[in-house]
């Protein structure tokens, strides 16, 4: 029995090694690779991903998995072994339906599409990206086809990021959330209370931005001995093992929040990955429970901690000292209001908490329309601009600030966006629980102490990695299904106070 499991773990480990080697190449592509490296890199990624996939779906692996299942059936369902088998079994059934050729073609396509997107975004030229996106979407339709019959063509794509979640459930949650968020944004606009955020657009030396970011995330508990930070156009976190969790960031010398909050955000993802139990190394459980659960962690550190008053009561004097010319005449309360200013805006990653989910809902509807063919890729920029007008009352001046702003579609991540909004909701469900169990949390944050918060997250969320399905994990920890109520309570309380509603 022991032997069965060791054999299964070794075969699984080799698949994960191949996948993580590909992840190193992707990280390199986005950080240091010269532009001319795109073609050979696409081939390398295609080969590695095809090998990993072919090994994983091979009958030999299937046989080892069957034996491990027999062993796991006699174990505690909460044990690592049982969790690994559950997770791998689900993934095995999914991957077996995907032909290896599709995997290789998808890896090559998205590798080139990512490169094309970068150029298209830099030049605000959708036409340059369009043929690549057409291919990506066509591959997504093929992918959904591998899982027919389904309730909704979007279900198989959503399931990649949010195991067990259905399109209908997301529609229900968003259906409750949207009118209330739209109403809150309307009330804030109508109240007309001016919040001055001009100081955020002063000059902020990039190196100093980098330094304060490093200082804060070190205080959070991000371990630089088991990670590193680099610069990319689109910040991300990538995990090569529990001992190697890397983040990237970007800085705008004329806008402080851009770099600062993306650093905090990615550190939130990285804290999750660094906290996964070491016994889960070389397994898919390293990826965490789901993208929404991952996002609950990043948004928690970015917003619930990083945009809170106690947090800035602690860090603001330090920030002011670093940037005396930009912030010398600004008190902490004005700064707090500025970083929480509610404004209908064009760019998702820079949106405030009150409008953020509207950006997500727009993308969710567009993805569904692209998949069910009610929208063609060539008509995408107009469709985007129309929805922006409808949801946020704005029209992007160019496609770089519109449909080209996000990297996701170029990477084939269709079905991913809803996890951001779901992550916001989970973050607040967890936060209410944490506040009830750590009554002096705010005072700890005010002292720059995050140890107890991180321990709570490690104990309840991080260490399990992908051992439990997201809905199961959220229920275990909070006693509830994924719901928007705590999030709406939070928004009403925070913005009600700032805008005197
Ligand atoms: Zn994130």
């Amino acid at each position: 029995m022991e032997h069965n499991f060791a054999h299964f773990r070794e075969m699984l480990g080799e698949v994960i090694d191949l996948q993580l080697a590909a992840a190193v190449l992707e990280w390199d592509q986005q950080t240091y690779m010269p532009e001319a490296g795109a073609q050979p890199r696409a081939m390398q990624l295609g080969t590695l991903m095809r090998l990993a996939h072919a090994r994983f779906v091979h009958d030999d692996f299937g046989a080892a998995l069957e034996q491990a299942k027999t062993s796991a059936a006699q174990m505690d369902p909460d044990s690592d072994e049982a969790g690994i088998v559950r997770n791998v079994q689900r993934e095995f059934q999914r991957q077996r339906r995907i032909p290896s050729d599709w995997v290789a073609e998808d890896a090559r396509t998205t590798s080139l599409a990512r490169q094309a997107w970068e150029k298209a975004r830099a030049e605000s030229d959708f036409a340059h990206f369009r043929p690549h996106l057409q291919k990506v979407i066509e591959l997504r339709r093929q992918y959904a086809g591998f899982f027919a019959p389904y309730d909704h063509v979007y279900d198989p794509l959503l399931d990649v990021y949010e195991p067990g979640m259905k399109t209908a459930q997301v529609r229900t949650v968003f259906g409750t959330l949207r009118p209330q968020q739209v109403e809150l944004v309307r009330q804030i606009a109508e109240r007309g209370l001016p919040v001055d955020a001009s100081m955020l657009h002063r000059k902020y030396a990039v190196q100093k931005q980098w330094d304060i970011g490093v200082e804060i995330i070190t205080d959070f508990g991000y371990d630089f001995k088991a990670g590193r930070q680099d610069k990319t156009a689109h910040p991300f976190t990538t995990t090569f093992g529990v001992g190697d969790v890397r983040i990237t960031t970007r800085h705008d010398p004329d806008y402080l929040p851009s770099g600062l909050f993306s650093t905090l955000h990615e550190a939130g993802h990285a804290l999750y990955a660094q906290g996964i139990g070491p016994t889960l190394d070389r397994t898919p459980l390293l990826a965490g429970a789901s993208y929404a659960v991952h996002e609950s962690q990043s948004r928690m550190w970015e917003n619930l901690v990083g945009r809170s008053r106690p947090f800035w009561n602690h860090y603001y004097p330090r920030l002011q000292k670093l940037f005396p010319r930009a912030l010398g005449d600004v008190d902490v309360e004005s700064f707090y209001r500025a970083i929480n200013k509610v404004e209908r805006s064009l760019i998702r990653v820079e949106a405030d908490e009150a409008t953020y989910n509207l950006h997500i809902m727009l993308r969710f509807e567009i993805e569904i329309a692209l998949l069910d063919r009610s929208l063609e890729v060539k008509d995408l920029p107009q469709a985007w601009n129309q929805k922006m007008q409808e949801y946020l009352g704005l029209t992007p001046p160019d496609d770089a600030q519109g449909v080209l702003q996000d990297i996701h579609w170029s990477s084939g991540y269709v079905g991913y966006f809803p996890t951001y909004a779901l992550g916001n909701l989970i973050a607040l469900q967890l936060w209410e629980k944490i506040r009830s169990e750590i009554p002096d949390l705010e005072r700890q944050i005010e002292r720059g102490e995050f140890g107890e918060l991180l321990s709570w997250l490690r104990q309840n969320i991080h260490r399990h990695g992908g051992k439990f399905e997201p809905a199961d994990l959220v229920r275990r920890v909070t006693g509830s299904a994924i719901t928007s109520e705590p999030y709406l309570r939070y928004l009403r309380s925070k913005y009600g106070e700032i805008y005197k509603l």
Side-chain angles (χ1 to χ4, degrees), residues 235 237 265-266 269 291 294-295 298-299 348 356 416 420:
T237 302
H265 180 98
E266 298 308 326
H269 283 299
Y291 283 69
H294 239 292
E295 202 61 16
S298 55
R299 301 290 283 178
R348 173 185 64 85
Y356 185 89
Y416 186 132
Y420 288 123

